Amino acid sequence: MKSSIPTASATLVWNGCDGEAMPIAKKSELRPGRATLLSGFTGGEIEEYSILITGTYRIDQRDVFCLVVTDKRLLDAGGITRGMSGTPVIQNGKIIGALSNACSDGKCAYATFASDMAHELYLARDILQQEKEAAE
């Protein structure tokens, strides 16, 4: 069975919180600097919160990037807390990743690249399809 994992030139799309499609950025598109989190952690509407991306790292054989919260509203509410894993990180109109691990003070976090998550989803889909075909 041929793999359906998109090539590097394919445009992957994430259907955001508001149902609008947003392109998934490639790792190479990440730039240190300003970005936003999309979160409804207060229980209300989805809002944007400002952050700074500080750099990329390799942890436990996976690429991640680090970010620092700069939004006063989010800091005043305790920063990044448990339950915010998966919160999308947006930079330059594209989803670059999602929160995965917060620092103990809530002022910084690590995030997983969205392109890595999409790749894993395509792999899982292919494996399930192969298992289904083998069972038939």
Side-chain angles (χ1 to χ4, degrees):
M1 177 180 152
K2 185 179 175 189
S3 174
S4 61
I5 298 172
T7 64
S9 62
T11 300
L12 299 174
V13 177
W14 171 72
N15 287 320
C17 304
D18 58 4
E20 288 192 34
M22 182 178 292
I24 295 175
K26 298 174 188 166
K27 287 182 187 181
S28 61
E29 294 180 83
L30 180 124
R31 296 289 179 261
R34 294 178 187 204
T36 58
L37 298 177
L38 292 180
S39 181
F41 78 96
T42 60
E45 291 186 27
I46 303 295
E47 296 184 57
E48 289 188 36
Y49 298 93
S50 59
I51 59 168
L52 282 177
I53 295 174
T54 60
T56 60
Y57 303 91
R58 188 139 181 95
I59 298 175
D60 296 330
Q61 299 181 348
R62 66 185 178 102
D63 295 325
V64 298
F65 59 95
C66 187
L67 56 94
V68 175
V69 177
T70 57
D71 194 291
K72 184 173 177 6
R73 298 169 301 150
L74 185 52
L75 290 169
D76 288 348
I80 297 169
T81 61
R82 288 185 180 163
M84 290 181 71
S85 294
T87 297
V89 180
I90 311 300
Q91 188 177 51
N92 298 322
K94 296 181 179 182
I95 181 168
I96 191 75
L99 295 181
S100 56
N101 301 88
C103 300
S104 60
D105 64 4
K107 295 178 183 176
C108 62
Y110 290 102
T112 302
F113 283 94
S115 57
D116 286 350
M117 291 185 285
H119 182 79
E120 292 296 322
L121 286 171
Y122 280 100
L123 284 175
R125 186 183 68 183
D126 285 353
I127 291 168
L128 290 172
Q129 183 62 36
Q130 289 171 1
E131 289 174 353
K132 180 181 175 185
E133 289 173 2
E136 293 176 350

